[in-house]
Amino acid sequence: MMRLSSFLLFVLAISINASFAQSDSLKLDLKQAEILFLKNNFDLLASNYQIDQAKAEVITAKLFDNPELEYENLFYNHETKKFLQTSYAYGQYAGSISQLVKLAGKRNKNIKLAKTVVKLAELEYFDLMRTLKFELRNTFYKAYFATQSIHVYEDQVKSTESLLKAYEIQLKAGNIALKDLIRIKSLIINLKAEQANLLNEIEDHYKDLRLLCGLEPSANLKLTVAESKVTAIDQIPYARLLDSARTNRTDLKLAKTDLEYNELNLKLQKAMAIPDVEVSLAYDLKGNYPEKYTGIGLKIPIPLFNRNQGEIKKAKVGIDAATSNIKKQELILSNEVFNSYRTAMRNEKLLMEIDPSFNGDFNKIINGLIKNFRERNISLIEFLDLYESYKENILQINSLKFERMSSREELNYVTGTNIFK
């Protein structure tokens, strides 16, 4: 009995807190949620920083090698017993300046490679946005329709408690058996337990929404969905969805850009096999012939052993791997679009087959049940069965509505578009 009392107090506390939260809540529709998501999501912000880092690499690739200055001076003259002399009579010094000149277009190839890395970073950003946006919209609908289901429990608990009061009066008058009253009390406990479980699920959804939108834990969300006419799935040809996915999917673009990167890398690695030239200009006071020597130098490695064979081989393997990955992504894409389209069609058909009048005014239907029960047209067991059946069907309808919207969001996700807004 103590456990039951504690449970009821817990449910009552949840109800009070929920009522208080509603007075200071943040109304949020899907469009507003997306604005907050694009502005505050930390994963997107981190990915955006990676784009900036990749752009900095382009700046680095554009820079020329610095010239090198070399200087050598007589440290100690044992004849004069003096240090660091530079005069013609007693000193000696030599200096040179050199510049590395890259051949075979290595600098331009490095710039193109760095720009491709920027493109890859941008595509990764948009692919992350596509994934997180689907998670946001799916979680939003999940939380919204779960909240609609809470209303069913609230109405049922209210009407059942009203019935319980009437039965308590009848029990005192000796018109009903105690077992019937116990059954009604059990129904109320079950309803409140299910309601509490659903409230916990909703809180988890709200937590995910707050994280995705960058909101504080104290933000009390009240979700709204605008009633609008949605495009029927069968009005959009499957071929259009597939073409849209092939054109817009960022993961496929990533795979193709990765192939482009590997092809550019192969060109760079082949260029790296060609030696660079170092040009130098030197001056020597007295250490060479003739004195006050001025000379020009040229330095170039001989590609006898190392011709960058390993890196060239790796680049070729990278091209083969990238080509294979494109085929894999195209197969994944076509399967995902096909599966999502079939699922969306199935969910659409199932929801359309439900009688719209069934999901009518709850109070009207429940009052009719209670009236028939009080007039002894149906037994308590029949009443409880019908009561439970109606509740389960309403919950199922809300679930189907969510599945319908979720499958549409999945089609947006797998096609990389906003066909369904």
Side-chain angles (χ1 to χ4, degrees), residues 134 138 233 340-341 343-345 347-348 402-412 420:
F134 168 68
N138 202 52
I233 300 291
S340 298
Y341 184 74
T343 301
M345 290 284 286
N347 290 336
E348 189 89 6
F402 161 70
E403 291 296 337
R404 178 197 192 193
M405 300 309 297
S406 179
S407 59
R408 287 166 176 265
E409 292 304 326
E410 190 168 339
L411 276 175
N412 283 343
F420 303 102

Side-chain angles (χ1 to χ4, degrees), residues 28 33 36-45 132 135-136 139 203-217 219 221:
L28 203 64
L36 290 172
F37 161 72
L38 293 173
K39 181 181 178 182
N40 300 327
N41 186 269
F42 290 105
D43 290 326
L44 283 183
L45 291 173
L132 292 178
E135 184 181 345
L136 171 75
T139 304
E203 280 303 319
D204 288 339
H205 300 327
Y206 282 169
K207 176 203 69 177
D208 294 338
L209 283 175
R210 292 189 195 100
L211 287 173
L212 286 165
C213 296
L215 297 173
E216 294 295 327
L221 304 181

Side-chain angles (χ1 to χ4, degrees), residues 288-304:
N288 214 322
Y289 179 83
E291 293 182 349
K292 298 183 180 179
Y293 168 84
T294 302
I296 187 168
L298 192 67
K299 181 180 177 182
I300 182 169
I302 300 174
L304 185 61

Side-chain angles (χ1 to χ4, degrees), residues 391-407:
K391 180 201 73 176
E392 290 299 326
N393 282 319
I394 293 296
L395 295 179
Q396 189 62 43
I397 288 173
N398 285 334
S399 176
L400 288 174
K401 286 181 178 178
F402 161 70
E403 291 296 337
R404 178 197 192 193
M405 300 309 297
S406 179
S407 59

Side-chain angles (χ1 to χ4, degrees), residues 112-113 116 259-268:
K112 288 180 180 179
L113 200 65
T116 307
L259 174 61
E260 180 185 342
Y261 173 88
N262 281 280
E263 288 173 342
L264 288 171
N265 187 44
L266 177 61
K267 292 179 181 178
L268 175 62

Side-chain angles (χ1 to χ4, degrees), residues 2 17 35 138 145 156 170 245 283 291 294 332 340 347 351:
M2 285 295 292
N17 288 334
I35 292 172
N138 202 52
F145 286 110
Q156 277 205 321
Q170 292 295 318
Y283 176 81
E291 293 182 349
T294 302
I332 289 173
S340 298
N347 290 336
L351 193 60

Side-chain angles (χ1 to χ4, degrees), residues 352-392:
M352 294 299 292
E353 288 175 351
I354 297 175
D355 184 1
S357 63
F358 179 82
N359 192 17
D361 182 45
F362 177 86
N363 290 327
K364 183 177 178 181
I365 295 173
I366 292 300
N367 288 337
L369 270 177
I370 293 175
K371 181 181 177 182
N372 277 293
F373 174 58
R374 285 175 173 171
E375 292 176 357
R376 306 292 183 180
N377 294 329
I378 56 176
S379 66
L380 178 61
I381 294 176
E382 289 174 322
F383 168 76
L384 294 177
D385 285 344
L386 289 170
Y387 209 58
E388 180 68 16
S389 255
Y390 180 77
K391 180 201 73 176
E392 290 299 326

Side-chain angles (χ1 to χ4, degrees), residues 241-300:
L241 295 175
L242 189 59
D243 289 342
S244 179
R246 287 170 175 163
T247 303
N248 298 297
R249 280 278 289 263
T250 45
D251 52 349
L252 182 58
K253 290 180 180 180
L254 265 169
K256 291 179 178 179
T257 306
D258 185 52
L259 174 61
E260 180 185 342
Y261 173 88
N262 281 280
E263 288 173 342
L264 288 171
N265 187 44
L266 177 61
K267 292 179 181 178
L268 175 62
Q269 297 308 324
K270 285 182 177 180
M272 294 295 288
I274 299 172
D276 296 326
V277 175
E278 185 177 333
V279 180
S280 62
L281 183 64
Y283 176 81
D284 194 319
L285 182 63
K286 292 192 298 183
N288 214 322
Y289 179 83
E291 293 182 349
K292 298 183 180 179
Y293 168 84
T294 302
I296 187 168
L298 192 67
K299 181 180 177 182
I300 182 169

